[in-house]
Amino acid sequence: MKTALVIAAMALTASTPPVLAAPRVALASDVFVERQADSGRVLQPASRLRPGDRVVTIVTWKRAAPGGGQFTVTNPLPRALQFEESADDSQDVSVDGGRTWGKIGSLRVGGRLAVPEDVTHVRWRVATPAPEGRIAYSAIVR
């Protein structure tokens, strides 16, 4: 299922302000629900979600031109989802709507350490010159 998640990617360039730059990275996001089958766990397109379902979001990116520099993919988590984990531990998370970023074990909410339930946004810095790639993370439906 294609989602309407707001996903932002921006090529970092020194010569052209990002506001004026043509899109350099195309993004697509697909959401799957993990189900138990006779053969084990399978991912199915998410057409219907229930509390407790484990969902996997796969963000696919593709560069408009070969090469290119680092860019950032930022994904706000819908309130109905609780962040679980990312396939790439290099991600940063935010627990305050995207104002500050860090690792889940280093951020604070009030006087306590943040927990996955507090995550509001996830972001990845993509530094590879590869022409395309995927980023995946999982969450639980609240």
Side-chain angles (χ1 to χ4, degrees):
M1 166 172 108
K2 295 289 181 189
T3 65
L5 297 175
V6 177
I7 300 173
M10 180 173 71
L12 301 178
T13 62
S15 61
T16 306
V19 174
L20 301 176
R24 300 188 187 236
V25 178
L27 296 169
S29 180
D30 294 296
V31 179
F32 299 90
V33 63
E34 186 177 275
R35 300 275 188 230
Q36 192 65 35
D38 292 338
S39 59
R41 294 180 179 179
V42 296
L43 293 180
Q44 300 173 337
S47 58
R48 209 159 190 214
L49 297 175
R50 299 179 302 255
D53 280 347
R54 184 172 195 247
V55 297
V56 176
T57 300
I58 300 175
V59 178
T60 305
W61 57 267
K62 185 173 183 176
R63 294 182 188 275
Q70 175 177 306
F71 63 93
T72 300
V73 176
T74 301
N75 202 138
L77 254 59
R79 290 198 58 66
L81 295 182
Q82 171 190 313
F83 180 74
E84 190 173 43
E85 64 183 337
S86 172
D88 179 353
D89 286 338
S90 69
Q91 88 280 338
D92 286 326
V93 298
S94 176
V95 296
D96 60 7
R99 289 185 300 276
T100 58
W101 296 89
K103 301 298 179 198
I104 193 67
S106 67
L107 298 172
R108 299 189 79 73
V109 173
R112 65 173 173 80
L113 283 175
V115 294
E117 293 89 12
D118 299 317
V119 173
T120 61
H121 291 70
V122 184
R123 83 173 176 194
W124 300 264
R125 286 189 173 84
V126 179
T128 179
E132 57 188 59
R134 291 183 178 170
I135 301 166
Y137 70 92
S138 62
I140 302 294
V141 177
R142 297 180 200 248

